[in-house]
Each structure stands twice: as structure tokens, then as C-alpha cells.
Amino acid sequence: MIMGAEGFGTKSVNSNTYTNMGLNEYDRGDKGNPKILWIVASVIERSVQKNEKALKGSNKRGVVTVFHGARAPVLTVQQYIERIFKYSNCSPSCFVVAYIYLERFLSLTDCLLTSLNVHRLLITSIMLAVKFVDDDCYNNAYYAKVGGITTTELNKLEMKFLAALDFRLHVTVESFDKYCLQLEKDTNEKLQIDRPIRIFAWGKGLVNKNISKCSPTVGGYTCRAF
């Protein structure tokens, strides 16, 4: 079984919400992914679409950061999140904590989520969440391979993200509960997603299933974001 840190996804007045999201416990032998992956991906995809529509309407480019790339590639947000979950062996609770970190980052900067920055922000926030929530965590080099970027770049992104948050990664159980309920509410609204967000021009032959042999080249394509 894979569990989150003590207090996350275990004992709470929101136990039904936790169960529905797949946060209480998760067995890697279970069929399918925990629902929280789809929930977080759906909320983020809607946010990206909303921001890009607003930017297009105002003819503004938005603030460009180290998390931005030159073009929007192939993998959807959901595919990317599922890939990280598959190879990181992390607890489902990490994706709620990562979402909290992402919200903090956006509120403390002028950055808007777009198809050009969302995946770099995701791999960084999820990696930091795993370090905070789980007892065991792979190193940055491993996460860089999973995310399709270099270790040097991920190290840089991690420091930029941490600096923006003033290195404050603590998440209370109360805050965790609040975000779970909000995510549940947002997905229950059943807003339509017009198109999937695209990232990483990997094309067909998407991923190497043996992560121990994962390298910057996957399925005949170079894992370069941009």
C-alpha cells in the first residue's frame, strides 16, 4: 500500500472525499489510477484554457519565466501527470500538495498557467510535494528523466520555485482538507474542456516502460521540451 504523510488522506472529517479521490490508500496492483490524478489534471487544463483565451483576447503575451518554453508540444496534462505517478511511485496525496504549491506560486508571482509553462511547473511542484509528503523519494536526476528535461534544468527550476515560495513547503491538514473539497467542487461543476493541453514533442512511441533505462531519448524521440 502507498500512503501519504501522516494526517494526509488517512483520518479526517472528509474521509468520504478522500476515499472518492483515492487518497486513503492505494495499491499499485489496483486497476486504473486514483481519481485525484484526473481531478487535478482537469482543473489545471481548464485554468490553462481560460488563461490562454484571456491572453489571446487582450493580445498580451504574459510574463515569461524560466518555466516557459518556445512552443506547446504533445503530451496532455493528464498523460504527463499519469506518467509522473507511474514512475515516481509516490502517494496520491502528493498531487494535492503539489496543487497547493502551484497555487501558492501563482499567487506570489505574476505568472499565469499556459501550455508553455504548465508541465515544467508540474514536474517541479510534484517533485517537491513528494519530498515533503513521502518517506522515500527519488533524486532530481531521476525526476528529470521522468519529466523529459535535464537534471541541470530541473535543479534550476526547483530553486526558482522554492525561492518564490520563500522555501515554505509546510501544508497543514486543515489546508489539505480545504483544497480537497475545493478540487471536488470544481470537478463536480463538469465544465467542458475544449481540447487537451499539449507538451513534449515525443510523438508516437510515447515512453520507455523500463524507467531504469529511461534516458533523454524515449521511443525514438528526444525528450526535449522545447
Side-chain angles (χ1 to χ4, degrees), residues 97-131:
V97 175
Y99 182 79
I100 294 173
Y101 291 164
L102 190 56
E103 286 280 289
R104 289 179 182 178
F105 176 86
L106 296 173
S107 69
L108 292 169
T109 66
D110 294 324
C111 183
L112 293 175
L113 278 180
T114 70
S115 57
L116 299 181
N117 65 19
V118 62
H119 291 71
R120 276 185 165 128
L121 285 168
L122 277 172
I123 189 63
T124 307
S125 60
I126 293 171
M127 181 182 71
L128 288 172
V130 178
K131 291 181 178 181

Side-chain angles (χ1 to χ4, degrees), residues 1-204:
M1 295 290 185
I2 298 173
M3 306 288 286
E6 184 176 357
F8 286 164
T10 53
K11 297 179 180 179
S12 170
V13 295
N14 299 311
S15 58
N16 288 337
T17 295
Y18 282 177
T19 299
N20 291 337
M21 290 183 170
L23 297 176
N24 282 332
E25 56 185 27
Y26 180 79
D27 190 331
R28 289 281 173 175
D30 291 345
K31 293 182 178 180
N33 293 316
K35 188 177 179 181
I36 187 61
L37 305 189
W38 174 81
I39 291 174
V40 170
S42 296
V43 172
I44 289 177
E45 284 176 332
R46 291 200 297 268
S47 180
V48 168
Q49 290 172 3
K50 178 181 178 181
N51 291 337
E52 292 189 333
K53 182 177 181 180
L55 288 172
K56 184 177 180 180
S58 63
N59 293 320
K60 293 181 180 180
R61 184 181 181 184
V63 177
V64 178
T65 70
V66 294
F67 295 93
H68 281 70
R71 62 180 182 273
V74 176
L75 282 184
T76 67
V77 167
Q78 184 168 338
Q79 287 173 332
Y80 193 60
I81 286 177
E82 289 175 350
R83 172 176 169 81
I84 296 172
F85 177 72
K86 178 178 181 179
Y87 292 119
S88 68
N89 201 39
C90 66
S91 61
S93 298
C94 292
F95 292 87
V96 178
V97 175
Y99 182 79
I100 294 173
Y101 291 164
L102 190 56
E103 286 280 289
R104 289 179 182 178
F105 176 86
L106 296 173
S107 69
L108 292 169
T109 66
D110 294 324
C111 183
L112 293 175
L113 278 180
T114 70
S115 57
L116 299 181
N117 65 19
V118 62
H119 291 71
R120 276 185 165 128
L121 285 168
L122 277 172
I123 189 63
T124 307
S125 60
I126 293 171
M127 181 182 71
L128 288 172
V130 178
K131 291 181 178 181
F132 175 74
V133 174
D134 289 349
D135 294 330
D136 299 315
C137 178
Y138 293 108
N139 60 26
N140 285 25
Y142 183 91
Y143 273 95
K145 290 179 180 180
V146 172
I149 57 179
T150 67
T151 304
T152 299
E153 182 175 18
L154 184 57
N155 290 341
K156 180 180 179 181
L157 297 178
E158 180 183 31
M159 292 308 299
K160 288 289 185 179
F161 198 96
L162 286 169
L165 269 58
D166 197 22
F167 291 83
R168 297 177 180 176
L169 298 181
H170 181 64
V171 175
T172 65
V173 174
E174 291 75 18
S175 180
F176 186 87
D177 286 351
K178 175 185 175 182
Y179 273 91
C180 284
L181 291 173
Q182 184 60 50
L183 285 167
E184 185 179 48
K185 177 182 177 182
D186 289 345
T187 54
N188 285 339
E189 291 177 356
K190 297 182 179 178
L191 297 177
Q192 296 296 318
I193 300 176
D194 295 328
R195 64 177 178 85
I197 306 307
R198 306 171 74 81
I199 192 72
F200 291 111
W202 289 346
K204 58 185 178 180

